Amino acid sequence: MAFTFVYFLSWAHSALALDELNGAIVKGVNLGGWLVLEGFITPSLFEGILNPTMLDGTKVRFKSLRSNKYVSAQKGGDSGIITVHKDKARTRETFRVSSGNELRADHEGMPTGDDDAATFQMIIDVKMNIKGDYQLDNGYGLEKAAEVLSNHRSNFVTQADFQFLSRNGINTVRIPVGWQYGIKCIIDLHAAPGSQNGMEHSSSRDGTIDWTTSDNIQQTLRVIDFLASKYGNHDALSGIV
């Protein structure tokens, strides 16, 4: 979908930006949390998820209760060796919750207590929790997520908002809209495949940045070419940046 490649920032925390474009003064406002989700803008969307602390991309650390040491991926994981010897938890001691990256230990029977080598404390890095499209979709499941998203996108930003912007001198937004009121659009690359920065507004799944792979770049360029060919001469388009 083309709209997932447009730049969104906070409507609630918007600010006017003055610039000159083609001889005209641009008074623009950024909109966010509508088409590409950002959990800090719309936390209520995630309140119905049963296990919100373990969404896609959640970062966790494991500390042995017997040795008080952290599980660590040696050489950042390149060596394939996992050890339990770090006193402090940093990047190599932080793991993401996905099916492709499993941390396992074969242990016969049940751990006997805190002094058992198979007993670890799992610590969730709450500051790094991502809350975007992937996390909402997989947290609710397909059917419920579709209902939540449909209701959100029908009500979060409405035609009345664009009437308000127009009345107050705003003439440009970074979002594709059906209600113009003399408001133009600036299309900006964002939320491209693979995520450009690992954050919610770039549709990241787990914080990794894979946009620079050849396939993702080519797919992004195809979308930009499509937008340019379809809307390049449209009166409502101020530019593609």
Side-chain angles (χ1 to χ4, degrees), residues 142-164:
L142 180 61
E143 185 174 343
K144 180 62 176 179
E147 178 185 337
V148 171
L149 286 172
S150 177
N151 182 64
H152 167 68
R153 288 169 177 162
S154 297
N155 296 283
F156 187 62
V157 175
T158 67
Q159 183 174 0
D161 294 313
F162 287 89
Q163 289 177 316
F164 172 83

Side-chain angles (χ1 to χ4, degrees), residues 35-53:
L35 299 184
V36 176
L37 299 184
E38 296 178 75
F40 77 95
I41 298 176
T42 54
S44 61
L45 293 181
F46 296 82
E47 291 176 353
I49 295 176
L50 295 180
N51 190 11
T53 59

Side-chain angles (χ1 to χ4, degrees), residues 8-229:
F8 306 99
L9 289 177
S10 171
W11 154 253
H13 303 280
S14 61
L16 295 183
L18 301 181
D19 202 351
E20 188 171 342
L21 184 66
N22 295 329
I25 296 296
V26 174
K27 298 180 181 180
V29 63
N30 297 323
L31 302 173
W34 182 20
L35 299 184
V36 176
L37 299 184
E38 296 178 75
F40 77 95
I41 298 176
T42 54
S44 61
L45 293 181
F46 296 82
E47 291 176 353
I49 295 176
L50 295 180
N51 190 11
T53 59
M54 291 296 289
L55 299 175
D56 275 9
T58 299
K59 294 184 178 181
V60 296
R61 295 158 179 159
F62 300 93
K63 183 169 70 173
S64 169
L65 294 183
R66 184 172 74 174
S67 66
N68 210 34
K69 304 285 187 180
Y70 286 93
V71 173
S72 177
Q74 294 299 291
K75 296 184 179 181
D78 288 342
S79 68
I81 298 173
I82 298 293
T83 62
V84 185
H85 75 291
K86 291 292 186 179
D87 293 318
K88 296 182 178 180
R90 296 186 174 89
T91 302
R92 294 181 180 181
E93 291 72 55
T94 303
F95 299 84
R96 294 185 180 91
V97 179
S98 68
S99 59
N101 299 287
E102 297 179 348
L103 180 66
R104 299 182 57 184
D106 294 327
H107 185 276
E108 294 184 5
M110 295 292 292
T112 56
D114 291 354
D115 60 345
D116 194 299
T119 303
F120 291 85
Q121 177 187 10
M122 184 174 72
I123 303 166
I124 298 175
D125 188 346
V126 295
K127 295 183 295 183
M128 296 299 294
N129 275 10
I130 299 174
K131 290 185 177 180
D133 291 68
Y134 272 112
Q135 291 73 33
L136 184 136
D137 290 346
N138 291 305
Y140 280 117
L142 180 61
E143 185 174 343
K144 180 62 176 179
E147 178 185 337
V148 171
L149 286 172
S150 177
N151 182 64
H152 167 68
R153 288 169 177 162
S154 297
N155 296 283
F156 187 62
V157 175
T158 67
Q159 183 174 0
D161 294 313
F162 287 89
Q163 289 177 316
F164 172 83
L165 295 177
S166 181
R167 288 198 306 267
N168 287 276
I170 302 300
N171 59 22
T172 308
V173 293
R174 282 178 172 176
I175 205 168
V177 294
W179 318 295
Q180 290 303 329
Y181 294 100
I183 296 177
K184 294 181 178 291
C185 298
I186 295 178
I187 297 177
D188 188 351
L189 170 64
H190 228 64
S195 179
Q196 306 103 293
N197 57 26
M199 299 176 69
E200 290 99 332
H201 56 254
S202 66
S203 289
S204 177
R205 179 165 191 156
D206 60 4
T208 55
I209 301 173
D210 294 322
W211 177 72
T212 54
T213 63
S214 177
D215 288 346
N216 286 335
I217 290 176
Q218 292 304 314
Q219 186 176 345
T220 300
L221 291 175
R222 286 196 295 270
V223 171
I224 294 174
D225 286 342
F226 168 78
L227 293 173
S229 63

